[in-house]
């Protein structure tokens, strides 16, 4: 039986670079590439370089993420709902102070920095302050606090005086999204566009030339691994897709049903199975603390996209309740 | 690395070269060593015939370890593609662009791989770099 997953329509212009990381999602001109990525979701720093002299920097802070995981903290939502008390209003962050701290002259180079800070703007979703500075180069940026997720993001495009910084900043801020949409976070870098459920945390990443791997963990022991290999016409010359799956997909249990199918119109290998054995039972017992359904079901899809000359693999270890998780992840992947 | 380069700056007799500027590297024109012959095998991969070094070190090593006059080195498909582009007319930037188009990879990924590969070829004296027309290093 052949299963099929249709390609999702691209919402952004094809030549532009889509960047997605830890819930942030924005578009930059073509050929811009991520050069610094953080692992943490709570706060971090992202740097994207242009082929020339411009670059974009994004810093974010999630004030709620650093809250200590105490027993009281965990019980508080239940206590509030039992007492019918609304959650305490979130304290607004002083954006001007944050910005002043960032733009404060530092060292010899900082003395020549001239900056302009515009008055605070407020709309339905954000409180924001735009700024620009010039000195050794120029920059245009914005700092804002998202009302729905509470995240504070500061983003700027930096370049030399001849660079089109204003146009690039306008493009970046036009569709900057600071949190996931419909419960899914977009993860996009180096031609890889994928998505993972918002509650899944990035636990490891490998960003190598020609090979990308993002590994996520869910709250109840679920595991999601998204991999992308470049140079498919070279690396897969001596392997069929089934052989590639057998050699590269290391999460696969010893016994799993492998069948041919299609993903986004490409020939694919789809696998499904169940992890058995003493180790899987112990893992199931461990996961049972958080959930009565252990994540022992395995699903995977491997496909080659001829248009982009890349091989993709998505592997999932899930519980029995999330039956269609693989299909949902595949529906949000973009390969060409 | 930073300490090493700082030492090279203040102690010039150590002859430690400063780190290369990215733009300067992209403007270099790699040129295959004319002493190295190459032929393509059936799979389209280059087989290089590398002659033994003719300098004093090469002669001593040749006597000590009985090194052959010519040794062969086989490049893989992508390596062969880049090797054939190293003709002294194309810049590193042009080679990166051409490779990126051929293998449909992002420029950044190709740039990292190609510069590392060219660095390796340079260390083995398989390629040099043309600075100006007719002048190579």
């Amino acid at each position: 039986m052949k299963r099929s997953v249709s390609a999702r329509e691209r919402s952004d212009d094809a030549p532009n670079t889509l960047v997605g990381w830890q819930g942030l999602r924005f578009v930059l001109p073509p050929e811009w590439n991520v050069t610094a990525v953080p692992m943490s979701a709570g706060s971090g720093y992202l740097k994207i370089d242009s082929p020339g002299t411009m670059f974009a920097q994004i810093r974010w802070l999630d004030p709620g993420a650093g809250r200590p995981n105490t027993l009281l903290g965990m019980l508080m939502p239940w206590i509030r709902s039992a007492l019918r008390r609304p959650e305490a209003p979130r304290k607004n962050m002083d954006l001007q102070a944050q910005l002043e701290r960032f733009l404060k002259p530092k060292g010899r180079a900082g003395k020549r920095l001239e900056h302009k800070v515009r008055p605070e703007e407020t709309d339905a979703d954000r409180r924001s302050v735009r700024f620009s500075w010039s000195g050794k180069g120029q920059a245009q940026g914005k700092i804002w606090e998202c009302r729905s997720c509470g995240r504070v993001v500061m983003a700027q495009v930096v370049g030399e005086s001849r660079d089109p910084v204003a146009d690039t900043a306008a493009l970046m801020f036009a569709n900057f999204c600071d949190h996931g949409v419909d419960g899914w976070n977009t993860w996009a870098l180096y031609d890889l566009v994928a998505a993972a459920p918002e509650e899944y945390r990035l636990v490891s990443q490998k960003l190598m030339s020609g090979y990308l791997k993002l590994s996520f963990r869910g709250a109840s022991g679920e595991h999601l691994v998204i991999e992308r290999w470049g140079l498919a016409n070279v690396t897969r010359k001596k392997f069929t897709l089934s052989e590639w799956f057998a050699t590269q997909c290391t999460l696969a249990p010893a016994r799993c049903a492998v069948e041919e199918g299609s993903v986004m119109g490409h020939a694919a290998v789809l696998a499904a199975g169940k992890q058995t054995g003493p180790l899987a039972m112990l893992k199931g017992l461990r996961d049972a603390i958080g959930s009565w359904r252990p994540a022992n079901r395995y699903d995977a899809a491997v496909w080659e996209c001829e248009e982009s000359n890349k091989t993709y693999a998505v592997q999932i270890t899930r519980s029995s309740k999330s039956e269609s998780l693989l299909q949902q992840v595949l529906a949000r992947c973009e390969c060409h | 690395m930073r300490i090493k380069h700082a030492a090279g700056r203040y102690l010039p007799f150590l002859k430690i070269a400063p780190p290369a500027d990215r733009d300067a590297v992209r403007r270099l024109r790699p040129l295959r060593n004319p002493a190295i012959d190459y032929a393509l095998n059936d799979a389209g991969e280059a087989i290089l015939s590398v002659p033994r070094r003719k300098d004093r070190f090469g002669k001593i090593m040749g006597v000590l370890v009985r090194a052959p006059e010519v040794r062969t080195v086989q490049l893989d498909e992508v390596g062969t593609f880049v090797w054939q582009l190293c003709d002294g007319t194309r810049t590193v930037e042009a080679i990166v662009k051409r490779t990126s188009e051929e293998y449909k990879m992002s420029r950044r990924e190709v740039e990292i791989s190609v510069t590392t590969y060219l660095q390796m070829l340079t260390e083995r004296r398989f390629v040099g770099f043309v600075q100006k027309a007719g002048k190579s290093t």
Side-chain angles (χ1 to χ4, degrees):
Chain A
M1 191 187 99
K2 286 195 173 187
R3 285 186 278 173
S4 173
V5 176
S6 64
R8 188 174 65 130
E9 276 186 10
R10 275 174 183 260
S11 55
D12 305 301
D13 292 337
N16 284 337
T17 308
L18 174 68
V19 180
W21 194 263
Q22 300 284 11
L24 302 171
R25 186 179 189 275
F26 52 94
V27 171
L28 282 166
E31 299 292 346
W32 284 56
N33 280 299
V34 173
T35 49
V37 288
M39 286 293 291
S40 161
S43 64
Y45 169 72
L46 196 61
K47 188 177 179 220
I48 305 105
D49 280 352
S50 75
T53 48
M54 280 197 293
F55 59 91
Q57 292 174 307
I58 290 100
R59 286 176 198 276
W60 73 92
L61 177 70
D62 198 348
R67 209 176 291 159
N69 228 354
T70 57
L71 183 64
L72 185 67
M74 282 189 272
L75 292 174
M76 198 48 89
W78 280 293
I79 296 170
R80 280 189 200 286
S81 64
L83 297 174
R84 294 182 182 175
R85 293 264 175 91
E87 198 170 331
R90 197 183 285 137
K91 200 181 169 187
N92 282 344
M93 189 165 273
D94 188 351
L95 298 179
Q96 297 277 3
Q98 289 279 337
L99 192 57
E100 285 298 327
R101 200 175 305 147
F102 170 71
L103 294 171
K104 202 172 139 187
K106 286 172 195 165
R108 214 183 303 165
K111 283 180 185 167
R112 291 194 295 272
L113 202 90
E114 285 177 18
H115 61 265
K116 285 181 195 166
V117 179
R118 293 192 190 162
E120 191 173 302
E121 297 164 21
T122 309
D123 60 26
D125 200 38
R126 289 174 183 169
R127 289 191 309 118
S128 61
V129 175
R130 285 178 181 270
F131 65 91
S132 62
W133 58 259
S134 61
K136 198 180 176 186
Q138 56 162 333
Q140 291 219 357
K142 192 176 175 182
I143 181 168
W144 70 90
E145 184 179 24
C146 178
R147 288 185 197 278
S148 51
C149 66
R151 201 174 238 187
V152 177
V153 182
M154 195 189 69
Q156 64 171 355
V157 176
V158 184
E160 291 181 0
S161 51
R162 64 177 191 277
D163 290 327
V165 167
D167 294 344
T168 312
L171 174 70
M172 184 169 84
F173 294 128
N175 44 21
F176 203 115
C177 198
D178 46 39
H179 51 261
V181 178
D182 300 332
W184 289 80
N185 282 342
T186 302
W187 295 82
L189 71 168
Y190 297 113
D191 307 336
L192 172 73
V193 180
E198 250 177 354
E199 64 272 18
Y200 279 43
R201 292 278 160 256
L202 181 73
V203 288
S204 72
Q205 45 95 350
K206 269 187 191 172
L207 306 177
M208 294 158 71
S209 180
Y211 174 64
L212 307 178
K213 180 182 179 184
L214 299 175
S215 187
F216 304 89
R217 280 269 180 203
S220 312
E222 299 96 339
H223 200 177
L224 167 63
V225 180
I226 300 167
E227 287 170 286
R228 194 222 71 183
W229 293 268
L231 302 167
N233 60 350
V234 178
T235 53
R236 246 184 29 76
K237 208 172 246 181
K238 294 170 185 170
F239 301 95
T240 62
L241 270 181
S242 302
E243 287 166 345
W244 191 260
F245 166 76
T247 53
Q248 302 294 332
C249 295
T250 48
L251 283 182
R255 274 182 287 175
C256 66
V258 180
E259 62 182 25
E260 286 183 5
S262 81
V263 175
M264 284 173 261
H266 304 295
V269 162
L270 303 167
K274 191 176 175 183
Q275 288 176 328
T276 52
L279 268 177
M281 279 176 67
L282 283 172
K283 198 172 147 291
L285 276 173
R286 185 196 67 189
D287 296 343
I289 297 165
S291 161
W292 289 110
R293 291 171 173 156
N296 58 2
R297 308 294 167 99
Y298 175 81
D299 288 315
V302 181
W303 74 99
E304 181 185 329
C305 174
E306 294 83 11
E307 285 87 347
S308 61
N309 194 26
K310 297 192 172 65
T311 311
Y312 294 85
V314 176
Q315 298 181 78
I316 290 170
T317 312
R318 58 166 181 87
S319 65
S320 56
K321 68 178 176 186
S322 43
E323 195 74 39
S324 62
L325 186 59
L326 178 69
Q327 302 301 314
Q328 290 178 50
V329 172
L330 292 179
R332 287 168 174 84
C333 284
E334 294 176 20
C335 61
H336 64 270
Chain B
M1 285 304 281
R2 202 173 284 176
I3 293 168
K4 186 183 162 188
H5 292 306
R9 188 176 169 191
Y10 295 108
L11 306 168
F13 56 88
L14 291 177
K15 292 183 180 174
I16 297 168
D21 171 33
R22 187 180 163 205
D23 284 339
V25 169
R26 289 195 293 192
R27 282 196 300 271
L28 291 171
R29 294 172 193 276
L31 173 66
R32 294 187 294 270
N33 186 340
I36 298 173
D37 292 327
Y38 78 96
L40 298 181
N41 66 9
D42 296 339
E45 294 165 342
I47 314 283
L48 313 186
S49 302
V50 186
R52 197 172 70 197
R53 284 169 65 166
K54 301 289 182 200
D55 57 2
R56 192 179 293 169
F57 178 79
K59 283 175 185 171
I60 293 168
M61 291 307 287
V63 172
L64 287 176
V65 299
R66 291 183 186 177
E69 280 298 315
V70 174
R71 66 190 170 96
T72 56
V73 176
Q74 184 172 345
L75 304 181
D76 66 4
E77 190 183 321
V78 187
T80 303
F81 183 80
V82 175
W83 171 258
Q84 288 177 316
L85 294 176
C86 297
D87 55 4
T89 61
R90 290 180 177 87
T91 58
V92 171
E93 171 89 57
I95 293 172
V96 167
K97 193 179 173 196
R98 183 79 182 81
T99 313
S100 154
E101 286 164 0
E102 178 72 18
Y103 293 102
K104 295 174 186 170
M105 285 177 76
S106 75
R107 284 273 286 275
R108 180 75 185 176
E109 283 182 282
V110 174
E111 190 179 312
I112 293 165
S113 306
V114 166
T115 48
T116 310
Y117 178 61
L118 288 175
Q119 190 182 355
M120 192 189 73
L121 292 180
T122 312
E123 282 165 6
R124 289 162 193 241
R125 302 183 184 202
F126 289 6
V127 297
F129 292 98
V130 178
Q131 283 180 327
K132 291 176 188 170
K135 189 181 174 186
S136 64
T137 56

